[in-house]
Amino acid sequence: MVVVDAMSWQPPSVPPSGGYAPTPGGYGPPPGSYAPPPGYPQYPAGPYGTPGPGPGLEYASFGRRFGGFLIDILIVVVVATVAFFVVFGSTLSPWFNQISANANAGLAAPPLPALPAGELLTFAIVGAVFSVLYFAILVAAWGGTLGQRAVGLRVVCQEDATKNLPMGRAVLRAIIWWGPALLFWSLALRDIASLVAFLALLWVAWDPRKQGLHDKLGRAVVVRQGLPRVTAFGPPAYPYAAPGYPTAPPQYPTAPPQYPAAPPQYPPTPPQYPPAPSLYPPTPPQYPPAPSQ
């Protein structure tokens, strides 16, 4: 029988088939050159599918941003319509009266009168002020417009996704809104500014971080809360958005079981014999003391 000391057992110098070679301080080469062995699952960049600027966040897609944009446009159109009739009411009121009179007389509707330059400038200032309030101050104070918050989006700093945009950067980012509004008095300038604003918004479709040109100008990103992946089988999703790898298999097999304890050297001591009998009878009782004289 060969006795092997368990304390002197050493792992084999060659790792088992399919395992990883030991690496001081961790395992595996840096991302980019890592190739897991066959049979191990390939994990996405994070638990939310699309990489984002912070844990639990992902960049807002073009479709989701477009949905929020439609809600914002509806709000802007309603406000602009009310402001238009308030500012140009003195000019349009006689025109509406003339339309009604011509309709009763069977005549054609009169042409739209020229809008005064003073009222055009007033409407442009009102539109620019509303754009700053809605697309800049609301973004800086609340993290997004009504349309963006309705579809679950937030505008944050690109260097720190936990912070809203500062006021100055929010106003600069909103130039695609208040710029064309401020140029409403000039038809040519307004069309050029609107074309630039359309290109800035369309840039989201192919930008890797889903930034428009106005987002880059304000150093902002639009994010949404990521949704955890649903996995029916396999290991759970990683708790961080940073790239990760599957858990490394054990480097070496477990140590062999320890040998059983050595058997007892000798049988147990037998029980003691009963005490030897007394050699003499007990001492008889003493005689009573002599009576007193």
Side-chain angles (χ1 to χ4, degrees):
M1 177 178 178
V2 179
V3 178
V4 179
D5 186 3
M7 300 301 294
S8 64
W9 180 85
Q10 297 294 331
S13 59
V14 179
S17 175
Y20 293 77
T23 303
Y27 77 92
S33 60
Y34 175 80
Y40 284 88
Q42 297 284 349
Y43 287 85
Y48 307 101
T50 304
L57 297 176
E58 63 183 34
Y59 297 116
S61 64
F62 177 78
R64 187 171 290 270
R65 291 192 65 172
F66 184 72
F69 171 76
L70 292 180
I71 298 175
D72 289 333
I73 285 297
L74 179 61
I75 296 174
V76 170
V77 167
V78 171
V79 175
T81 302
V82 174
F84 182 84
F85 284 103
V86 170
V87 174
F88 299 105
S90 59
T91 301
L92 297 179
S93 181
W95 180 63
F96 283 121
N97 294 335
Q98 187 63 39
I99 290 179
S100 179
N102 288 3
N104 293 333
L107 302 176
L112 179 68
L115 301 176
E119 294 180 357
L120 283 174
L121 182 59
T122 301
F123 183 76
I125 294 175
V126 170
V129 170
F130 174 75
S131 298
V132 170
L133 291 174
Y134 187 78
F135 293 102
I137 296 180
L138 196 60
V139 167
W142 197 35
T145 61
L146 296 177
Q148 289 172 333
R149 297 306 294 264
V151 295
L153 303 182
R154 287 181 59 239
V155 182
V156 297
C157 298
Q158 67 178 10
E159 70 276 6
D160 188 354
T162 62
K163 297 180 180 179
N164 294 343
L165 278 185
M167 185 62 66
R169 288 163 60 176
V171 172
L172 186 62
R173 176 182 178 272
I175 193 174
I176 64 168
W177 302 104
W178 58 262
L182 194 59
L183 299 176
F184 182 81
W185 56 273
S186 174
L187 182 61
L189 295 177
R190 181 184 62 194
D191 291 343
I192 295 175
S194 299
L195 182 60
V196 173
F198 176 75
L199 177 61
L201 295 171
L202 191 61
W203 200 272
V204 178
W206 57 77
D207 188 83
R209 293 197 296 177
K210 305 304 179 183
Q211 285 180 300
L213 295 180
H214 59 304
D215 296 322
K216 297 180 182 294
L217 187 62
R219 303 196 307 278
V221 290
V222 182
V223 298
R224 64 176 294 230
Q225 189 72 26
L227 300 177
R229 294 186 299 111
V230 178
T231 54
F233 302 98
Y238 282 94
Y240 304 103
Y245 301 108
T247 304
Q251 302 292 332
Y252 303 102
T254 56
Q258 300 296 325
Y259 291 97
Q265 301 296 325
Y266 302 101
T269 304
Q272 298 297 325
Y273 293 98
S278 176
L279 298 177
Y280 302 100
T283 303
Q286 298 296 324
Y287 291 99
S292 59
Q293 294 300 326

